[in-house]
Amino acid sequence: QAADSKREQFRRYLEKSGVLDTITKVLVALYEEPEKPNSALDFLKHHLGASAPENPEIEALRLEVAEMKEKYEAVLEENKKLKAKVMVY
């Protein structure tokens, strides 16, 4: 009886949080695919990942990483030039 109660609570939790609806939509999309993908698991991963809301901080961090990569490359180039100058003298 307690196990059934826990199962029911968990089911309600999944339903309330939108998990059941999202999984159902992805499975329906897979079912409706005219040509089934080679990997159903990859299909699910791709569609579940795509349906997750994007955190605004993630885009800001991506931009910051891109800027840092550019700065890093510039510093490496400068370092290379300075080493070449030091070797000449």
Side-chain angles (χ1 to χ4, degrees):
Q1 195 81 12
D4 287 342
S5 174
K6 280 190 172 191
R7 249 186 241 133
E8 182 59 27
Q9 284 177 341
F10 186 65
R11 188 196 62 73
R12 282 195 304 261
Y13 162 73
L14 292 176
E15 191 174 319
K16 185 177 176 183
S17 63
V19 172
L20 289 180
D21 188 46
T22 301
I23 290 175
T24 301
K25 285 178 183 176
V26 173
L27 289 173
V28 168
L30 177 59
Y31 176 78
E32 291 176 346
E33 277 291 307
E35 290 189 28
K36 301 298 182 237
N38 291 333
S39 173
L41 186 56
D42 286 344
F43 180 92
L44 293 174
K45 286 178 183 178
H46 172 74
H47 283 78
L48 285 173
S51 66
E54 184 74 16
N55 185 337
E57 286 184 31
I58 292 174
E59 186 58 33
L61 290 172
R62 283 190 183 126
L63 290 172
E64 187 177 346
V65 166
E67 289 173 15
M68 291 296 138
K69 283 182 180 179
E70 286 179 26
K71 287 180 182 178
Y72 172 74
E73 293 298 326
V75 167
L76 282 180
E77 188 60 33
E78 181 183 14
N79 188 337
K80 189 175 173 182
K81 288 176 182 177
L82 290 172
K83 282 182 178 180
K85 281 185 180 180
V86 169
M87 291 245 182
V88 171
Y89 297 114

